[in-house]
Amino acid sequence: MADGSDTTLTADKIAEQAPNGLVAGIKSFAAGHGGAKAVIEYVGKRGARIVLVGSDGAWADQFADGTDIARQACAKAGVTVENAWERELMDQMRPSNDLWRSMARRTMAR
């Protein structure tokens, strides 16, 4: 058996791994908010968090099994992936009033 013959990960295998439900969720969010940009965050064993920021300032998140799958899902959905949290992207986000209220009720532990 050749080295890596059964463990080599190709682009075709990654494309098959991106779940259709994840791609559909990203497409739906982008369509409902006039387009979107994404930031992908590695969250350990859980996989990757895709934070979507709509053109109207709304935001949401999705989870994928890994960063490679998250990037593939965003590419299939036609959403641009940002490399990091840039100031312009953060300024675009508009948290809802419910989120502000929920954050106000939280207390910081020492």
Side-chain angles (χ1 to χ4, degrees), residues 8-22:
T8 303
L9 186 62
T10 64
D12 294 335
K13 289 182 181 179
I14 293 173
E16 293 173 357
Q17 291 178 354
N20 289 334
L22 178 61

Side-chain angles (χ1 to χ4, degrees), residues 11-47:
D12 294 335
K13 289 182 181 179
I14 293 173
E16 293 173 357
Q17 291 178 354
N20 289 334
L22 178 61
V23 174
I26 295 170
K27 278 184 182 179
S28 174
F29 179 85
H33 297 282
K37 291 184 179 179
V39 176
I40 298 173
E41 301 172 337
Y42 175 71
V43 290
K45 289 183 181 181
R46 174 112 190 241

Side-chain angles (χ1 to χ4, degrees), residues 37-100:
K37 291 184 179 179
V39 176
I40 298 173
E41 301 172 337
Y42 175 71
V43 290
K45 289 183 181 181
R46 174 112 190 241
R49 178 183 184 204
I50 307 167
V51 181
L52 300 164
V53 181
S55 296
D56 63 355
W59 59 279
D61 58 0
Q62 300 272 339
F63 281 89
D65 291 336
T67 56
D68 54 342
I69 295 170
R71 287 189 181 281
Q72 185 66 31
C74 289
K76 281 181 150 183
V79 171
T80 303
V81 176
E82 297 290 326
N83 290 327
W85 284 105
E86 298 293 332
R87 176 180 229 166
E88 293 81 17
L89 186 60
M90 292 179 70
D91 286 345
Q92 186 178 340
M93 294 176 76
R94 299 287 175 241
S96 69
N97 289 336
D98 292 335
L99 180 61
W100 283 116

